[in-house]
Amino acid sequence: MKARLIIITSIVLSVFLITGCGGKKTVEDLEQEAKNLETLAERSQNIDNADEAFKLLRDLNQTMKDVRGIILAMDATYRDASDSKKQEMTGEFEKVNNQIDKSLNTISENVEPFEDEEEVQKMLKKLEDLLISR
């Protein structure tokens, strides 16, 4: 399950990268969301039960919605940018994407013991749906 979540996230973020990413302000917004994901990853290290796992995944769901929204907003800026600016944006995006992947990997590992719980399964399904929809 964790591998599937990470792969789907990476694919979605890569698709957005291919279709476009953005300028300074939106990259800063994406960096802030990456920090929020790091906070969730730290919080995931203290999960003791399925209820805590569910709450963490619920917060992750909202954060990933925010990430998706930022990436979609970045698309317009990327399309109008010069080739050199596009390369710069791509580099910035890839750096943030790596931070996001690292946090998602940590969260996946820490939630894995609770994947069999019904509420956790439902939230994981919602995350998958969010990550594969545009």
Side-chain angles (χ1 to χ4, degrees):
M1 180 56 84
K2 76 175 180 177
R4 195 166 63 185
L5 180 63
I6 291 170
I7 290 169
I8 291 171
T9 302
S10 295
I11 290 170
V12 169
L13 292 175
S14 296
V15 166
F16 290 133
L17 174 62
I18 290 168
T19 61
C21 58
K24 292 287 184 199
K25 184 177 184 295
T26 55
V27 168
E28 291 171 359
D29 292 338
L30 191 58
E31 288 172 347
Q32 180 59 47
E33 292 303 325
K35 288 178 184 175
N36 291 344
L37 283 170
E38 286 177 9
T39 302
L40 289 174
E42 290 172 9
R43 196 172 111 200
S44 75
Q45 295 174 357
N46 299 319
I47 294 176
D48 293 329
N49 57 52
D51 187 50
E52 290 176 10
F54 171 79
K55 289 176 183 176
L56 178 87
L57 291 173
R58 183 185 60 205
D59 294 343
L60 175 62
N61 186 28
Q62 183 58 51
T63 302
M64 292 309 296
K65 285 179 183 178
D66 295 342
V67 167
R68 183 180 67 172
I70 291 168
I71 292 171
L72 289 172
M74 293 167 69
D75 186 49
T77 304
Y78 183 83
R79 290 179 193 198
D80 296 333
S82 66
D83 288 340
S84 62
K85 186 66 176 169
K86 285 181 181 181
Q87 286 180 333
E88 178 185 332
M89 290 179 201
T90 300
E92 292 172 349
F93 180 83
E94 288 175 353
K95 179 182 170 189
V96 175
N97 189 33
N98 288 336
Q99 293 172 332
I100 290 171
D101 284 345
K102 182 179 176 186
S103 296
L104 290 174
N105 187 31
T106 301
I107 292 168
S108 293
E109 289 173 1
N110 293 328
V111 170
E112 188 173 5
F114 306 101
E115 286 180 352
D116 293 336
E117 299 294 327
E118 184 178 347
E119 285 185 337
V120 174
Q121 286 178 356
K122 287 179 184 178
M123 191 53 68
L124 286 170
K125 175 71 172 128
K126 284 183 180 183
L127 277 165
E128 286 180 25
D129 292 344
L130 169 70
L131 294 174
I132 59 175
S133 68
R134 184 158 194 234

